[in-house]
Amino acid sequence: MIKLKKKSHHRLTLQILIGLALGAGLGLLINAFGWQSSVFVKDFLTGGVFHIGGQVFLRSLQMLVVPIVFISLVCGTAGLGDLQQLGRIGGKTLVLYLITTALAVTTGLIVAGVIDPGMGFDLNTAADFQAAEAPPLVDTLIQIVPKNPIESFARGEMLQIIFFAMSFGMAMTLAGKSGERVLLVFNDLNDIVMKLVGMVIRISPIGVFCLIAKVFADQGFSAILPLAKYFFTTLFVLIFHLFITYSSLLKFVGKLSPVMFFRKFYEVMVFGFSTASSNATIPVTLEVVERRLGVKKIISSFTVPLGATINMDGTAIMQGVATVFVAQAYGVELTMVQYMTVILTATLASVGTAGVPGVGLIMLSMVFQQVGLPVEGIGIIMAVDRLLDMVRTAVNVSGDAMVSCLVAKSEGQLDQAVFDEDPLSEQLA
Ligand code: ASP
């Protein structure tokens, strides 16, 4: 197997960060000088080079999601050979995902309750918002079972793919010799798709640069000003949850070093940030969680795609803060029961939120409807949602990885030596 030399890996990491910084700098410059409306910038940069570069990169990542989830989950499930353990892993993962999300939205509500971001907000800046239908939860549950797996693959229905892959993997275990032979093929396929991930990661500095430059050129910071209090409250809670809550869980529950976790995982956070899609980030999350944080495939192949689909702590935080903000802007006093309802619905909404850009905002209408807030209120915060979406996606993917580490540790499926290896001296496959 070709090894990516540690030096070239560090060079790549540095290049990704440079891509991020240059993209942000150039985008902000374009926006600050109002160049985004000039023909050259519109046709050749934001609508041309940046758009093409960004989309090609994004689509290359998306291209890998379905094959990787299927192949690695089949390998993970079939390699386990113990259905009881599988049930235990599933149970732990689900409970941890739900608890961390409930914790996230609660923190959002408490901090927003203290800061009062919506007090004295001028509602005249509100934009029109057409509420989209949020899918009912019962349907989401029934539809976990695919009628036609090929259709699930074609549509990228993650929960259905997870369900089919796990059933397939279990059947392979039960099939004895035939299952063993097919597992060899799947293991080889897995090596090949991981190589593909490596190839996409190599072009990521350019992709990240293009995506970020376009967003910042289009958005700038001017949209934030009227909503600064909402924006920074949400940002504060996102950062708090990321560094305080996750670090505490890693340290006290998992007995793992949070510093080591973030030193290795921040690269994936950059991917989450620039793509604003947990789904598109799955291939890179899997790569880092398995090869650098030492989580065995048995765990990660299940926890990572499931987390990218149902675990959205960052989204839940935004929904908590947004509820308080909009309630205050409309002069609505929320009762204790309504706060409880927000915690419950935001946690469930997070399960139903697909890991693609902007869906968290759509699911917010479900929360608003439950507590009787005007859905048009979502129009107010739309202006700053893209930037917050990027940050909350970075939090979402970190939550998936953190829970993967905790579950792996508790199951004896975490390679401590790999986790503890200094990122400056490690080698990547
Ligand atoms: N963009 C988020 C994600 O992919 C979902 C959202 O909050 O809109 O994780």
Side-chain angles (χ1 to χ4, degrees):
M1 199 182 284
I2 314 160
K3 292 269 176 193
L4 194 65
K5 294 264 159 36
K6 55 186 167 188
K7 233 171 143 181
S8 67
H9 175 69
H10 295 309
R11 201 176 322 126
L12 188 63
T13 309
L14 193 65
Q15 284 167 352
I16 296 174
L17 289 179
I18 292 173
L20 180 79
L22 281 183
L26 183 63
L28 285 176
L29 207 67
I30 290 175
N31 191 279
F33 286 98
W35 294 334
Q36 73 274 31
S37 45
S38 77
V39 176
F40 173 75
V41 171
K42 221 166 57 192
D43 290 354
F44 291 101
L45 292 183
T46 51
V49 179
F50 297 166
H51 181 62
I52 298 169
Q55 288 306 307
V56 166
F57 168 61
L58 193 59
R59 293 174 72 103
S60 314
L61 278 172
Q62 288 166 332
M63 169 181 89
L64 301 178
V65 173
V66 172
I68 249 184
V69 170
F70 182 65
I71 294 168
S72 74
L73 202 45
V74 168
C75 293
T77 325
L80 190 60
D82 174 359
L83 299 189
Q84 230 177 12
Q85 192 182 1
L86 202 63
R88 207 176 49 233
I89 294 169
K92 270 187 203 170
T93 309
L94 274 179
V95 168
L96 277 172
Y97 278 160
L98 291 176
I99 290 179
T100 47
T101 308
L103 212 61
V105 57
T106 309
T107 317
L109 287 173
I110 293 174
V111 174
V114 172
I115 295 183
D116 291 337
M119 285 296 181
F121 181 78
D122 177 10
L123 275 176
N124 290 331
T125 36
D128 271 348
F129 178 75
Q130 295 290 336
E133 269 299 299
L137 189 73
V138 186
D139 284 2
T140 313
L141 287 178
I142 296 175
Q143 284 163 8
I144 290 177
V145 184
K147 271 200 287 190
N148 174 356
I150 304 295
E151 190 188 1
S152 320
F153 288 174
R155 295 161 64 101
E157 293 288 351
M158 206 47 70
L159 292 180
Q160 297 185 351
I161 298 172
I162 290 175
F163 185 87
F164 181 65
M166 291 182 77
S167 316
F168 198 87
M170 283 184 218
M172 274 166 64
T173 312
L174 299 173
K177 281 269 170 288
S178 322
E180 282 169 24
R181 281 195 301 270
V182 175
L183 182 58
L184 290 178
V185 177
F186 267 93
N187 280 334
D188 285 349
L189 282 174
N190 190 65
D191 285 347
I192 296 170
V193 281
M194 285 325 259
K195 274 283 163 269
L196 269 171
V197 176
M199 284 157 65
V200 176
I201 293 181
R202 277 175 196 244
I203 61 157
S204 61
I206 301 171
V208 167
F209 168 81
C210 291
L211 284 175
I212 298 288
K214 181 165 161 49
V215 173
F216 280 72
D218 289 346
Q219 298 260 324
F221 280 136
S222 50
I224 294 176
L225 285 181
L227 289 157
K229 241 176 146 184
Y230 163 73
F231 182 86
F232 287 109
T233 306
T234 313
L235 198 64
F236 170 76
V237 185
L238 285 170
I239 293 171
F240 179 89
H241 192 69
L242 183 66
F243 291 116
I244 307 296
T245 311
Y246 288 170
S247 297
S248 312
L249 285 169
L250 279 167
K251 191 155 179 52
F252 300 116
V253 179
K255 308 271 178 289
L256 293 166
S257 154
V259 175
M260 200 53 98
F261 175 85
F262 284 112
R263 277 180 72 191
K264 295 185 175 181
F265 197 72
Y266 77 95
E267 250 179 86
V268 184
M269 289 162 63
V270 173
F271 276 81
F273 180 79
S274 46
T275 60
S277 168
S278 315
N279 246 7
T281 313
I282 290 175
V284 194
T285 314
L286 270 177
E287 157 90 25
V288 172
V289 165
E290 283 172 18
R291 301 200 184 192
R292 306 187 63 201
L293 292 172
V295 176
K296 295 275 164 63
K297 195 170 218 49
I298 292 164
I299 307 289
S300 60
S301 64
F302 170 69
T303 53
V304 169
L306 185 73
T309 316
I310 70 162
N311 182 48
M312 311 269 168
D313 293 2
T315 305
I317 287 171
M318 174 279 282
Q319 293 179 337
V321 179
T323 308
V324 175
F325 172 76
V326 169
Q328 289 176 346
Y330 279 98
V332 177
E333 187 81 46
L334 292 175
T335 62
M336 206 53 204
V337 176
Q338 280 173 312
Y339 276 115
M340 290 306 187
T341 312
V342 175
I343 296 175
L344 192 68
T345 13
T347 306
L348 295 180
S350 139
V351 174
T353 304
V356 289
V359 185
L361 203 66
I362 296 171
M363 295 303 281
L364 185 57
S365 61
M366 181 170 137
V367 182
F368 278 19
Q369 272 157 8
Q370 287 299 318
V371 288
L373 281 177
V375 176
E376 301 76 50
I378 296 176
I380 309 175
I381 53 175
M382 231 158 58
V384 289
D385 196 63
R386 175 69 201 183
L387 281 179
L388 286 178
D389 194 6
M390 294 160 80
V391 185
R392 70 178 180 250
T393 307
V395 175
N396 289 346
V397 294
S398 308
D400 304 340
M402 189 274 299
V403 167
S404 304
C405 290
L406 293 190
V407 175
K409 181 77 194 267
S410 75
E411 287 288 318
Q413 299 287 357
L414 185 121
D415 190 331
Q416 193 75 44
V418 174
F419 185 96
D420 289 336
E421 195 181 350
D422 194 302
L424 291 176
S425 64
E426 69 190 356
Q427 289 216 342
L428 268 198

